Amino acid sequence: MELTVFHELTQKISLECFFMTESQQEEKVIQLIDLHHFIECFDPEIKILNCIHHPINIIEHHDHKKGIIFCDLKHSLVPDSNASEEFKRRYALSELWFVFVEETSVSDMSIYTDAIIENSLDIFYDRIFSFNFFQSIIHSLK
């Protein structure tokens, strides 16, 4: 991500998310960095429609509105899938994508398969990915 884009995003978060704590704003910045880098690696033609006010990012991909949610299992719990399904209906999204973000290589993919099974992610999400942020590698898990 270019430094100017990063600066613009952090400014936007500061202005539009003034009600958030500093910690929440920091999480939002991380979410946006993950989103931008995922798009760079997956399909640079993806357009971001809304990424500031919700934990689910709304994008346009192949002329369809889709939602992407990121989760780093080392730092947070898997979000409530029922809330994601309601979000999908409310914003008329054609698909929901779930992305496990990792900073280091994960050789044992069972951590993801276990999380998918335990949280029924395959029922609620149309696509599931693992995304190694620093190596810029995306694996489709569903």
Side-chain angles (χ1 to χ4, degrees):
M1 171 186 300
E2 295 176 16
L3 189 57
T4 55
V5 173
F6 176 76
H7 181 69
E8 288 172 13
L9 289 172
T10 55
Q11 290 289 84
K12 190 170 185 172
I13 290 169
S14 296
L15 292 173
E16 294 185 31
C17 302
F18 60 89
F19 55 89
M20 291 182 176
T21 65
E22 193 172 308
S23 167
Q24 290 171 320
Q25 286 185 5
E26 184 179 318
E27 286 179 35
K28 181 58 73 175
V29 169
I30 291 168
Q31 174 190 336
L32 296 179
I33 292 169
D34 288 344
L35 175 64
H36 276 268
H37 191 49
F38 180 85
I39 289 171
E40 288 172 350
C41 297
F42 187 78
D43 181 356
E45 298 298 313
I46 290 175
K47 292 181 186 143
I48 298 171
L49 302 178
N50 188 332
C51 62
I52 297 292
H53 301 288
H54 311 287
I56 298 176
N57 305 284
I58 301 174
I59 60 159
E60 183 179 300
H61 182 241
H62 299 301
D63 296 324
H64 295 281
K65 277 180 27 179
K66 300 175 183 182
I68 302 177
I69 191 162
F70 294 92
C71 177
D72 183 342
L73 290 176
K74 291 179 184 165
H75 301 290
S76 61
L77 300 173
V78 174
D80 178 22
S81 295
N82 289 316
S84 298
E85 186 64 26
E86 169 59 27
F87 188 90
K88 181 179 180 181
R89 280 192 297 275
R90 182 183 307 143
Y91 291 94
L93 305 176
S94 63
E95 290 184 3
L96 277 178
W97 296 357
F98 190 95
V99 180
F100 292 105
V101 179
E102 58 192 46
E103 295 173 0
T104 59
S105 289
V106 174
S107 57
D108 184 7
M109 297 301 268
S110 68
I111 188 172
Y112 301 128
T113 54
D114 290 349
I116 291 168
I117 293 166
E118 290 170 14
N119 297 283
S120 302
L121 298 179
D122 55 333
I123 294 170
F124 293 97
Y125 295 93
D126 302 286
R127 309 251 342 240
I128 302 173
F129 302 94
S130 68
F131 175 44
N132 184 299
F133 187 88
F134 292 112
Q135 292 181 353
S136 304
I137 299 172
I138 300 171
H139 291 287
S140 178
L141 304 174
K142 175 186 176 188

